[in-house]
Amino acid sequence: MLELLWLLLPAAAASGWIAARRSADTASRRPPERDPAYFRGLNYLLDEQPDKAIDVFVRMLEVDGETVETHLALGSLFRRRGEVERAIRIHQNLIARPTLSREQRAQALLDLGLDYMRAGLFDRAENLFLELRDTKLLQEQALEGLRVIYQQEKDWEKCLQVAEDLESIGGRPLGLERAHYYCELAELARAAGEEDRAHAMLKKALGASKDLSRAIWLQAALEIAAGDYKAGARLLNRIAEQDPDLVPEVLPQLVECHRRLGQRRELVALLEGLLASRGEPAVLLMLADVVQEDEGEPAALRYVAQHLGPRPSLASLLRLIRLAERAPNAVVPDLMPVLRDAVERLLERRPAYQCAHCGFNAKTLHWQCPGCRRWSTIKPVRDLDH
Ligand SMILES: [Zn+2]
């Protein structure tokens, strides 16, 4: 409640000051008993009786239009604190007043819309935001509210419309968002068996956000489903080149395309290129599969041992151990040093100390966490439990 008190004290002081100044001017223009009511409201707030306090403030509003801003601030404060019903009551009372200025009414409508959104009453919020959009007051905030609602409702057509409206009134660029809306529409079209529409939506997505990997990936899926593995592989390759983080994700489809095309040599060259540039564990595991399939387990074992590299992963180390188990007679030069080296590198990468509160990783024991500044929260990490 202290927060509310700080908000209202200046208002009370100011209204007292205005009242005093006015009574000095002309006794007849003195507003009716304003200050006692304010302090009664404050007392209710301090006694943790916010509903009685709201009653007092709302009644005061009926007699005094100068406290509109305070009511707006009080309403927002209740909403921020998660007391949405109280915020709604305050804003509804404000809107019901006939003497509000256009701007004040718009602000109260926007706030009430935000209250409704917070309460999950999206259709009511939508109506208020639509009204604001049409009156062209607080348009940007209203459109942003609509965009959030339509995203929540997965109404992608309306999302697109609102995003375009927002951009046209000079809001921030929403190319990435629009591209994802088109991708959503493309996925729906694909699920409904409308390939042509899906392709058209993806073209628009790439027009809104050039090279968006999601759109290219969806294009690849359409090509693969249509049996065009060559086009599929080309698109997936493009994703692997421009977005290396997605390599593990697109890898299975990429391998499948090359298998269908019977391009084993191209596939191995491609995978080795990816392994050399990124050292991606998923790529090494995929290569191990290919080698194992074509040349058997001893060959796969030798391959993994040779390519474990300077950044081994637990998954590739496990693969190596399993292959060694299954092919005990395979001749692998220096298998034990390779294993030892991999474990040493994994241990080196592991943080020695970690904050139990914020997860900050440290090489040495700090008594105060450099991340969250708490004391005695940094503990030694045991084995791999981080
Ligand atoms: Zn910390």
Side-chain angles (χ1 to χ4, degrees):
M1 278 304 130
L2 215 53
E3 208 184 342
L4 288 170
L5 186 63
W6 287 120
L7 172 72
L8 292 165
L9 267 180
S15 67
W17 177 77
I18 294 165
R21 202 185 54 165
R22 282 194 180 168
S23 63
D25 286 353
T26 49
S28 61
R29 273 169 54 196
R30 185 179 177 173
E33 297 305 313
R34 185 166 44 181
D35 296 349
Y38 238 119
F39 286 108
R40 205 165 64 244
L42 286 178
N43 271 331
Y44 281 132
L45 282 178
L46 285 173
D47 289 345
E48 300 282 323
Q49 301 186 55
D51 287 307
K52 283 191 180 168
I54 293 173
D55 285 338
V56 172
F57 291 129
V58 165
R59 237 176 288 131
M60 280 179 57
L61 185 71
E62 283 161 16
V63 291
D64 181 3
E66 284 168 14
T67 54
V68 171
E69 299 302 325
T70 309
H71 278 75
L72 284 169
L74 187 63
S76 308
L77 189 60
F78 276 126
R79 183 176 63 243
R80 279 206 305 278
R81 290 159 51 107
E83 297 171 49
V84 187
E85 279 176 30
R86 291 183 178 132
I88 290 176
R89 256 184 79 202
I90 287 178
H91 291 131
Q92 281 176 334
N93 266 300
L94 267 175
I95 290 165
R97 284 174 45 84
T99 53
L100 287 188
S101 71
R102 267 187 90 218
E103 288 72 19
Q104 285 171 333
R105 190 179 142 75
Q107 187 61 53
L109 280 176
L110 179 72
D111 277 336
L112 184 58
L114 295 172
D115 298 340
Y116 283 149
M117 270 174 75
R118 185 78 191 265
L121 302 167
F122 291 117
D123 47 345
R124 290 198 202 177
E126 181 188 1
N127 287 335
L128 294 180
F129 293 147
L130 286 172
E131 184 180 334
L132 281 172
R133 185 193 64 184
D134 297 341
T135 55
K136 302 205 186 306
L137 282 169
L138 299 173
Q139 223 179 352
E140 189 173 341
Q141 290 95 317
L143 286 169
E144 192 54 45
L146 285 172
R147 196 171 72 83
V148 173
I149 291 173
Y150 295 145
Q151 282 187 167
Q152 188 81 20
E153 293 176 343
K154 300 188 186 297
D155 191 334
W156 310 116
E157 299 274 7
K158 284 188 179 167
C159 283
L160 276 168
Q161 184 58 53
V162 168
E164 278 165 23
D165 290 349
L166 264 168
E167 284 182 326
S168 73
I169 62 165
R172 68 188 173 90
L174 290 166
L176 181 66
E177 286 80 357
R178 282 191 291 112
H180 276 287
Y181 301 152
Y182 281 121
C183 286
E184 295 284 350
L185 288 171
E187 288 195 17
L188 290 175
R190 189 185 157 209
E194 301 166 16
E195 272 81 15
D196 287 347
R197 180 172 153 80
H199 273 294
M201 291 297 116
L202 293 175
K203 209 171 160 192
K204 289 194 174 185
L206 290 168
S209 178
K210 198 171 157 284
D211 299 328
L212 181 70
S213 290
R214 182 189 181 185
I216 300 171
W217 200 356
L218 283 167
Q219 282 182 331
L222 287 172
E223 298 296 356
I224 292 169
D228 191 342
Y229 298 106
K230 204 172 168 190
R234 185 174 41 79
L235 291 162
L236 293 169
N237 251 327
R238 193 172 145 201
I239 297 172
E241 274 167 24
Q242 72 182 26
D243 219 341
D245 289 336
L246 285 178
V247 164
E249 301 296 318
V250 299
L251 211 49
Q253 281 167 301
L254 193 54
V255 170
E256 181 62 17
C257 284
H258 282 282
R259 280 206 173 122
R260 295 272 187 164
L261 293 166
Q263 298 174 329
R264 188 193 173 280
R265 218 157 14 99
E266 287 87 340
L267 174 62
V268 171
L270 173 76
L271 291 175
E272 288 192 327
L274 287 172
L275 186 64
S277 62
R278 290 269 297 171
E280 186 66 60
V283 177
L284 179 58
L285 293 179
M286 197 57 85
L287 275 163
D289 283 347
V290 173
V291 174
Q292 185 172 338
E293 205 171 279
D294 292 354
E295 302 168 38
E297 281 166 346
L301 172 60
R302 278 191 292 276
Y303 192 90
V304 177
Q306 277 166 16
H307 292 85
L308 212 49
R311 285 185 66 81
S313 71
L314 274 178
S316 37
L317 182 61
L318 180 63
R319 172 68 68 91
L320 182 65
I321 292 170
R322 282 197 173 141
L323 284 166
E325 263 180 346
R326 292 166 64 97
N329 299 321
V331 182
V332 183
D334 303 330
L335 181 59
M336 287 318 281
V338 167
L339 288 171
R340 188 202 58 226
D341 193 49
V343 174
E344 274 175 2
R345 284 173 193 273
L346 285 167
L347 279 173
E348 268 169 31
R349 264 165 38 208
R350 184 191 62 139
Y353 300 91
Q354 191 174 48
C355 172
H357 179 73
C358 73
F360 184 92
N361 289 330
K363 285 274 174 213
T364 55
L365 180 61
H366 298 264
W367 292 114
Q368 185 184 23
C369 172
C372 66
R373 297 275 151 207
R374 284 173 194 251
W375 294 94
S376 288
T377 53
I378 295 212
K379 310 276 185 208
V381 175
R382 279 177 298 167
D383 293 333
L384 288 167
D385 59 328
H386 67 276

